[in-house]
Amino acid sequence: MDICFAGGAEQARLIQSKEVSATEVVQATLDRIESVGSKVNAYSVVLGDQALAMAEAANAAISNGDTRPLLGVPVAIKDTIDVVGQLTSQGTTAVTTPATADSPLVAKLRAAGAVIIGKTTCSELAVWPFTETPAFGATRNPWNTDYSPGGSSGGAGAAVAAGLCGIAVGSDGLGSIRVPAGFNGVFGLKPQRGRVHHGVRDWHGMSVNGPLGRSVADAALFLDVVATTPSPAFREAIATPPRPLRIALAFKSAAYYPVAARLGDEQRQATTQTAELLRSLGHTVAEQEVGFPQSMSTNYMIRYLAGTAENLAAVDQPDQVSKRTRTMASLGQRIPDKVVQKALAGEAKMADKVNQIFDDFDLVLTPGAVEDPLTIGQLDGKDAFRTLYASGRKIPNFAPWNSIGQPAVSIPAGFSSRGLPLAVQLAGPANEEATLLAVAAQLEAARPWADQRPEL
C-alpha cells in the first residue's frame, strides 16, 4: 500500500498498530508534496518542520500507550481557518496579521493527535467555485491539470485526490466542499449546521466546516473527533449496512443563478446508475422532485453577498483583493441589514417547505455538478457577473442544503469519457449525517473508489 493514498482512517490504524511510524507517514506525505505538489498547487503554505516535530511527538506518545484517534495523521486545513502563527489568507494577499491562536476546530484536531501539515488554497474570500487567485495562482485538478479542481475548497479536494494529506478540512457555503470533492473524485461531507465549529466567516449561517477524504471512514473519523453537538458515533454508523430506506431521485435544482446548465448526459447517467445500485442494495428509489420555494434563490444570494461584504471588510488590506471579488462585496454592502434579517427570519418557512419531501422519503439523491469543471484560465479577465454565471451554472444542486443548514454528501460515481471524476449528492433531514454516511459507506463497498489514483 502507498501510505500517501491510504486515507486518514487507515493511516491512523497503521500508526496505532505500529506497522508504520507517524514520522514515516508525515515524511512520505511531505516527500510527495515536494515531488508532485507543484503540478496541482494545492497548498498556500506547507508546515514541514512543524509537522515532522509533531510526528516525532506522536511516535513518543504511541510508545507510551497513547491511543488518540488521529495520532500522527497529516491533516490539511483550508486557508479560511485559523492556525496559530499563520496567515488566514483566504486566497488573498489582503491579510497581513497572523492568527494568534488556533481555531477551536484546529485545537480539537491537535488534541486528537492530528499533525497539521499545511494550509490549502481556496478562491478569494471563498467566493468562487474554482480556485485561481492573483495571490497563489491556479490550483489544478490532479486527474487532468488543464481543469479546475473546483472551489472554494479546491486545494483541499486536490490535496486529498493527489495523496498530499490524510484528511483535508474544507468549508462549504454554497457547495464548497461538495463541488471539489466531486470534481476530484473524493468523498466530501457538508455537516449539519452547528455540528462542527465554524467561526465568524459563515455567510449568515450558510457556511460550515467539514471533511474531504479518500473514504467515508475518513469523514466519520473526523466527525467523531470534532463534533461540537451531541451526536451518534459516526464510525459505528458506517460499520453496519443501513436498514432499507426510501430515497427520492430528484433532478430539478433550485438554481440561484439565472439559468442552470442543462444536466450533462454523463452526469445524468452517473445519477441513474447510482439509483440502480441503491435499489440493488435493498433501498426503494423513486423519482420525486423537492419542493424548493421560489424565494429560496433570493434568500441565499442575499446571505452570500452580505457575508462576502463582511469578510472583505474584515481583512487588513481590502484593496489587495481582485476587482471581481470586490464587486461581489460591493453588492453585499448595498443590502440593508433589515433585508438580511428578513432573509434569516424566512429560513424556517423555507425549511418546512423543503422538508415535506422527508414525509415520504428518508434521503434525496441528486446529481452533483451538472457539467465538467472549468478549464484553467477559462474565466481570466471576466467581470464578476460573467464569472458568477459561468462558474455557478455548473453547480445548482448544492446551495439549498446550505440555506436550511441540513447535511449533504458528495459521493464519487465513476469517470466521464474525458477521464474526469463524476459524483452524486445525497442530502438528508436535519442531524442525519449518520444515515448519509452509512449509505455512502454501503455504496463505497459496492462500488469502491479510493483505489483510483491520478497519474501525476
Side-chain angles (χ1 to χ4, degrees):
M1 173 185 290
D2 186 336
I3 194 65
C4 292
F5 286 93
E10 179 64 6
Q11 288 173 345
R13 186 195 70 78
L14 292 169
I15 292 168
Q16 283 291 342
S17 66
K18 300 182 181 178
E19 295 176 56
V20 297
S21 70
T23 299
E24 288 175 310
V25 174
V26 171
Q27 186 63 65
T29 303
L30 291 171
D31 289 346
R32 183 158 178 82
I33 293 171
E34 176 68 23
S35 65
V36 305
S38 62
K39 296 180 181 180
V40 294
N41 188 33
Y43 283 93
S44 58
V45 62
V46 177
L47 304 175
D49 291 341
Q50 292 183 29
L52 287 171
M54 286 188 283
E56 289 293 340
N59 292 335
I62 287 169
S63 296
N64 290 323
D66 194 330
T67 59
R68 284 178 290 165
L70 283 174
L71 200 55
V73 174
V75 175
I77 308 296
K78 184 178 180 179
D79 206 0
T80 56
I81 302 168
D82 288 347
V83 172
V84 64
Q86 302 301 315
L87 297 174
T88 307
S89 300
Q90 302 178 67
T92 75
T93 56
V95 178
T96 58
T97 306
T100 57
D102 286 332
S103 74
L105 169 57
V106 172
K108 280 199 168 192
L109 291 168
R110 288 196 201 272
V115 173
I116 307 305
I117 197 110
K119 304 196 75 177
T120 54
T121 53
C122 61
S123 61
E124 285 189 315
L125 304 184
V127 165
W128 308 109
F130 59 95
T131 306
E132 298 172 45
T133 67
F136 297 103
T139 299
R140 296 173 180 270
N141 193 309
W143 294 97
N144 185 330
T145 55
D146 291 335
Y147 285 85
S148 171
S152 63
S153 307
V160 173
L164 308 182
C165 62
I167 298 172
V169 184
S171 67
D172 190 314
L174 291 174
S176 287
I177 287 171
R178 289 160 290 162
V179 171
F183 282 152
N184 290 279
V186 301
F187 183 75
L189 166 68
K190 183 197 86 66
Q192 173 71 29
R193 183 185 301 158
R195 181 75 70 199
V196 178
H197 184 274
H198 190 270
V200 297
R201 307 179 188 93
D202 71 349
W203 289 355
H204 297 279
M206 290 202 302
S207 186
V208 296
N209 290 329
L212 297 92
R214 295 197 63 80
S215 70
V216 178
D218 295 342
L221 172 58
F222 173 91
L223 275 196
D224 277 341
V225 166
V226 306
T228 61
T229 55
S231 60
F234 295 105
R235 280 172 290 178
E236 289 182 12
I238 68 172
T240 304
R243 62 178 173 81
L245 299 172
R246 302 161 301 165
I247 300 173
L249 173 58
F251 290 104
K252 183 179 177 182
S253 70
Y256 52 105
Y257 299 97
V259 179
R262 183 184 70 85
L263 177 62
D265 291 340
E266 291 181 308
Q267 287 78 8
R268 179 180 290 275
Q269 184 180 39
T271 309
T272 56
Q273 287 177 344
T274 302
E276 287 300 322
L277 179 55
L278 287 165
R279 291 187 183 105
S280 75
L281 294 169
H283 304 294
T284 299
V285 183
E287 285 200 38
Q288 179 63 55
E289 300 300 341
V290 182
F292 296 121
Q294 290 185 344
S295 61
M296 194 167 226
S297 58
T298 301
N299 185 287
Y300 36 76
M301 283 303 293
I302 288 169
R303 294 156 75 178
Y304 159 70
L305 293 170
T308 299
E310 292 167 1
N311 290 347
L312 179 66
V315 302
D316 299 311
Q317 298 178 343
D319 61 334
Q320 294 297 305
V321 177
S322 72
K323 182 179 179 181
R324 66 181 172 191
T325 301
R326 285 187 282 115
T327 297
M328 302 305 290
S330 71
L331 294 173
Q333 290 166 355
R334 297 170 189 168
I335 299 174
D337 183 64
K338 65 181 180 181
V339 174
V340 177
Q341 295 308 313
K342 184 178 180 180
L344 292 172
E347 182 182 305
K349 187 175 181 180
M350 287 194 313
D352 288 343
K353 176 72 171 173
V354 172
N355 284 324
Q356 288 177 13
I357 191 75
F358 298 119
D359 293 341
D360 300 310
F361 295 92
D362 299 295
L363 301 175
V364 176
L365 172 68
T366 79
V370 299
E371 290 184 334
D372 285 342
L374 296 162
T375 54
I376 298 297
Q378 183 175 338
L379 298 181
D380 285 355
K382 302 295 185 184
D383 64 23
F385 303 104
R386 289 181 175 86
T387 299
L388 182 66
Y389 175 77
S391 60
R393 69 194 295 267
K394 296 175 176 289
I395 53 166
N397 297 312
F398 301 115
W401 309 103
N402 296 89
S403 66
I404 60 175
Q406 292 175 200
V409 297
S410 176
I411 301 172
F415 290 83
S416 74
S417 58
R418 289 159 299 286
L420 293 165
L422 299 167
V424 297
Q425 176 182 235
L426 273 178
N431 299 304
E432 284 294 331
E433 295 103 319
T435 303
L436 291 170
L437 289 168
V439 175
Q442 192 179 31
L443 287 170
E444 181 181 26
R447 186 177 63 192
W449 60 73
D451 58 346
Q452 301 283 342
R453 304 175 188 178
E455 297 180 0
L456 283 171

